[in-house]
Amino acid sequence: MTITRSILLFVVAALAEIGGAWLVWQGIREHRGVLWIVGGVLALGAYGFVATFQPDPSFGRILAAYGGIFVAGSLLWGVLVDGFRPDRWDVAGALVCLVGVALIMYAPRG
């Protein structure tokens, strides 16, 4: 159950951070306005709170592992929201990052 909770928290954190960055991008680069930027800033703030609910007590470990989630999630966001088509190297890199997440977060320690 702890691993499932951790993965769900990573997914929620990714949605908040990637979604927030996307909203700021839309507000500034696509000239959608201040409300988009404010929404993005709020979502980015929410990301910071979500990360604190991870069961592991190590900030460095959580943030390092989240980096891999961010990489894979960003590519997936691009596919689903922006019509981005990753090439095989994008996919391979994201898979390497996800393996890194698994090693950092869920490898047995003793």
Side-chain angles (χ1 to χ4, degrees), residues 55-67:
D56 190 288
S58 174
F59 173 79
R61 181 176 292 140
I62 299 300
L63 208 56
Y66 175 69

Side-chain angles (χ1 to χ4, degrees), residues 19-101:
W22 184 82
L23 287 168
V24 171
W25 178 283
Q26 294 297 308
I28 294 172
R29 302 258 321 221
E30 304 298 329
H31 310 288
R32 297 217 172 160
V34 173
L35 290 179
W36 286 71
I37 297 167
V38 170
V41 169
L42 292 173
L44 288 165
Y47 153 73
F49 283 99
V50 171
T52 67
F53 294 112
Q54 281 288 348
D56 190 288
S58 174
F59 173 79
R61 181 176 292 140
I62 299 300
L63 208 56
Y66 175 69
I69 301 294
F70 180 81
V71 168
S74 295
L75 289 174
L76 184 59
W77 183 281
V79 168
L80 296 175
V81 176
D82 287 329
F84 173 70
R85 292 287 171 231
D87 63 23
R88 64 183 174 178
W89 300 111
D90 295 324
V91 172
L95 290 173
V96 167
C97 289
L98 291 175
V99 168
V101 170

